[in-house]
Amino acid sequence: MKLISWNVNGLRACLKKGFLDAFFALDAEVFCLQETKLQPGQVELDLPGYHQYWYSAEKKGYSGTAVFSRREPLAVSYGLGIDEHDHEGRLITLEFEPFYFVCCYTPNAQDGLRRIDYRMRWEDDLRAYLRSLDAKKPVVYCGDLNVAHEPIDLKNPGPNRGNAGFSDQERGKMTELLAAGFVDSFRRLYPDRTGAYSWWSYRFRARENNAGWRIDYFIVSERLASRITAAEIYSDITGSDHCPVGLELDL
């Protein structure tokens, strides 16, 4: 089963930069998006054979997620069920027979870590939510998680230590999540691979120089780890400041 996640940084803009070509070429069973920046009805996608699920932020032109699935899920839910977190369109959960699929666009801690206290509450509530799902059946959790977990996950860890996305607090929450029974699928297959990034700043020719960060993930329940057959970063696909990431499971 092939699964894809992509922060498109505005779907309407990405559609003008080859989104549909990439979508059909990747040919995934489930394809999810973050940062769609859409309100209901602003885009209608013709994706034959896919069920579509959209979750918009209340604020126009901000955040938002979507999931497209060939299989019709047993159930779909939106948000965490906690009012503080459920106004920005950040989380969609699809229940399938073998697992829960959770698409997430994690809140950015912002410059100067202005939103770090909120980010910490989000992380704690999200981890509790994933553990509650995992108690029922395995979980596949993916998306733009807005953190480079280890120094290997960004080009310039030294100068970025303490910045949003590479603060000790955010990295610590990722460590807590993995310790709670989850696996970073890419690092399970490629523990030492360097230069593997999924986001590049639009400034300073960062993508051309591969001065990036790996902040887009597929995290799976530990008991699915033996089922991972591929974990990909499609850095050749443009259209956004992020590239798609993928997971293949033998189910």
Side-chain angles (χ1 to χ4, degrees):
M1 173 182 277
K2 185 176 184 181
L3 312 169
I4 296 289
S5 173
W6 193 5
N7 179 323
V8 291
N9 191 18
L11 181 56
R12 284 173 293 179
C14 196
L15 280 165
K16 299 174 183 177
K17 301 175 184 177
F19 170 80
L20 288 174
D21 290 339
F23 178 89
F24 289 116
L26 287 167
D27 192 29
E29 185 81 11
V30 183
F31 197 120
C32 73
L33 310 181
Q34 303 85 44
E35 211 171 355
T36 55
K37 298 183 179 179
L38 290 171
Q39 297 302 117
Q42 286 190 305
V43 162
E44 291 189 10
L45 293 184
D46 183 19
L47 305 177
Y50 286 88
H51 303 274
Q52 302 187 28
Y53 305 95
W54 299 83
Y55 190 28
S56 299
E58 293 176 6
K59 179 181 177 182
K60 292 182 179 179
Y62 180 70
S63 189
T65 46
V67 181
F68 313 127
S69 174
R70 284 199 175 111
R71 300 186 188 189
E72 185 172 4
L74 302 175
V76 182
S77 61
Y78 300 88
L80 278 170
I82 298 171
D83 184 69
E84 180 182 26
H85 301 312
D86 290 352
H87 298 274
E88 297 184 350
R90 293 189 178 274
L91 199 80
I92 304 177
T93 303
L94 277 62
E95 180 184 357
F96 297 106
E97 191 67 40
F99 61 86
Y100 289 101
F101 181 89
V102 181
C103 168
C104 180
Y105 178 39
T106 300
N108 193 301
Q110 299 186 351
D111 291 343
L113 302 183
R114 294 193 313 273
R115 213 181 185 195
I116 193 67
D117 290 343
Y118 172 67
R119 171 68 177 265
M120 295 296 98
R121 295 194 299 275
W122 167 276
E123 294 285 356
D124 289 341
D125 291 338
L126 188 282
R127 186 175 64 258
Y129 174 70
L130 295 177
R131 293 186 71 181
S132 73
L133 296 180
D134 187 55
K136 303 171 190 172
K137 65 176 70 173
V139 174
V140 175
Y141 165 54
C142 67
D144 175 2
L145 305 188
N146 260 318
V147 61
H149 184 216
E150 299 290 354
I152 196 175
D153 294 316
L154 71 167
K155 177 72 171 182
N156 297 305
N160 283 295
R161 174 81 182 271
N163 289 343
F166 197 59
S167 68
D168 292 350
Q169 300 97 308
E170 293 162 295
R171 295 170 63 201
K173 291 301 182 186
M174 174 62 85
T175 298
E176 286 186 53
L177 175 63
L178 298 178
F182 296 91
V183 171
D184 175 350
S185 61
F186 185 82
R187 284 292 170 224
R188 178 55 63 99
L189 293 189
Y190 309 111
D192 302 315
R193 181 173 292 182
T194 60
Y197 309 126
S198 63
W199 174 80
W200 303 262
S201 171
Y202 280 132
R203 299 181 293 172
F204 312 123
R205 299 166 69 187
R207 191 158 190 170
E208 182 180 334
N209 296 319
N210 199 29
W213 300 47
R214 189 175 72 94
I215 60 175
D216 301 87
Y217 295 80
F218 272 91
I219 307 288
V220 303
S221 296
E222 177 73 50
R223 60 195 185 278
L224 284 180
S226 63
R227 303 294 188 117
I228 299 170
T229 57
E232 302 292 344
I233 299 177
Y234 298 94
S235 56
D236 58 325
I237 295 179
T238 57
S240 168
D241 52 350
H242 295 248
C243 72
V245 297
L247 173 69
E248 293 185 34
L249 295 171
D250 180 15
L251 294 175

